[in-house]
Amino acid sequence: MTDVRPAPPAPHTDAPAAAIPAPLTQAPTQAVVLAGGQGSRLRPYTDDRPKPMVEIPGTGVPIIGHQLNWLASEGVTDAVVSCGHLAEVLQEWLAKADLPLRVTTVVEEEPLGRGGGLKYAARHLPHPDRSWYATNGDIWTRFSLREMAAFHAERAATATLALARPRIPWGAVETNEFGQVLDFIEAPPSPYLINAGVYVFSPEFTALLPDLGDHERTTFPRLARERRLAGFPLPQGAYWRAIDTAKDLTEAARELAAQRAS
């Protein structure tokens, strides 16, 4: 475990504590970032660095840098980064970077699976009796985590996952009841919501995680059956993209350029 850097004072939040009902009196101030992925589909970019260390073209900042800045802007003061593939590269960058929050890194001595790795990292959070955020290390997004935390509290959920509606990568064809083609729609939004890789967890969630294995096959289905798992749809217009392939990097750079030009 490596303690990377002290943090500045916690960022100010304009949201009053009373706006978020019990049992969550304020938005979480701690988070876990799962940054151990190999990123095989992003090669050759990941030949010499872990997936979260791949830079978004045009920014000069790796994915995890954008994530940590976003978390800090949402009131997070402490983050635990779970490292795996080429962990030393990520740890070296974190040690040198000018970070807006405290960062601790942990490295699994042996593969624990997604659920086991999340549990191992969560045990290093500074406040185990408080709620916490988690995010996958390959997500580039911007939306209000405070609103998501309020949603989580209002539903008294044990776990809440953000839900995105990505665009289908193919053109769609619209027809009428007679099979006549009416229109062609380029890359329309998917009719289904997907797990966006960003979460809010109540303190008791950590104990429900497996020591070894995948929580999405064990813990999440159990909580869903018990109606203790909530889904927070990302607000309309919120930016979200998973960086899985070289094409995703190109698309992210194009979208960033469009945002700057607007």
Side-chain angles (χ1 to χ4, degrees):
M1 182 178 74
T2 304
D3 191 2
V4 176
R5 187 179 294 271
H12 175 70
T13 172
D14 294 328
I20 302 177
L24 192 63
T25 57
Q26 63 179 16
T29 60
Q30 54 186 1
V32 167
V33 179
L34 296 174
Q38 293 188 12
S40 57
R41 289 189 293 170
L42 265 173
R43 288 176 178 161
Y45 298 101
T46 52
D47 284 344
D48 60 354
R49 69 195 64 194
K51 191 176 183 182
M53 279 299 298
V54 174
E55 292 185 2
I56 302 295
T59 69
V61 178
I63 299 169
I64 194 166
H66 292 284
Q67 287 186 323
L68 294 175
N69 285 329
W70 172 52
L71 290 170
S73 73
E74 290 292 324
V76 174
T77 59
D78 294 271
V80 175
V81 177
S82 178
C83 308
H85 175 63
L86 296 174
E88 65 281 0
V89 177
L90 178 52
Q91 289 174 318
E92 181 179 354
W93 182 86
L94 289 169
K96 294 179 179 179
D98 184 14
L99 302 175
L101 72 176
R102 281 182 293 268
V103 174
T104 298
T105 61
V106 295
V107 182
E108 299 173 26
E109 295 181 2
E110 57 185 31
L112 300 175
R114 289 191 296 178
L118 185 60
K119 187 173 189 175
Y120 179 69
R123 286 173 173 164
H124 294 84
L125 289 168
H127 306 290
D129 58 337
R130 301 181 190 175
S131 296
W132 48 289
Y133 298 119
T135 179
N136 295 342
D138 58 357
I139 301 299
W140 190 24
T141 186
R142 285 293 185 277
F143 66 91
S144 174
L145 285 174
R146 294 184 179 95
E147 289 183 7
M148 185 176 174
F151 180 97
H152 172 84
E154 288 165 0
R155 285 149 185 80
T158 300
T160 296
L161 48 150
L163 303 175
R165 194 182 297 276
R167 291 190 173 275
I168 298 172
W170 308 281
V173 179
E174 182 181 357
T175 64
N176 62 17
E177 63 271 22
F178 299 107
Q180 297 168 321
V181 173
L182 301 179
D183 200 3
F184 297 92
I185 306 170
E186 185 64 28
S190 168
Y192 299 104
L193 293 168
I194 67 165
N195 182 349
V198 181
Y199 311 89
V200 182
F201 297 132
S202 293
E204 64 271 20
F205 178 78
T206 305
L208 302 177
L209 286 165
D211 293 321
L212 184 68
D214 188 348
H215 60 294
E216 294 193 9
R217 295 179 180 273
T218 55
T219 311
F220 278 178
R222 171 186 168 185
L223 291 176
R225 289 192 300 269
E226 297 172 353
R227 300 296 186 265
R228 297 162 60 195
L229 181 66
F232 174 75
L234 296 189
Q236 188 167 357
Y239 184 79
W240 179 90
R241 177 172 286 279
I243 308 296
D244 290 320
T245 66
K247 182 179 179 181
D248 291 323
L249 280 175
T250 302
E251 289 294 316
R254 180 185 61 80
E255 290 160 354
L256 177 62
Q259 290 174 8
R260 288 174 171 173
S262 60

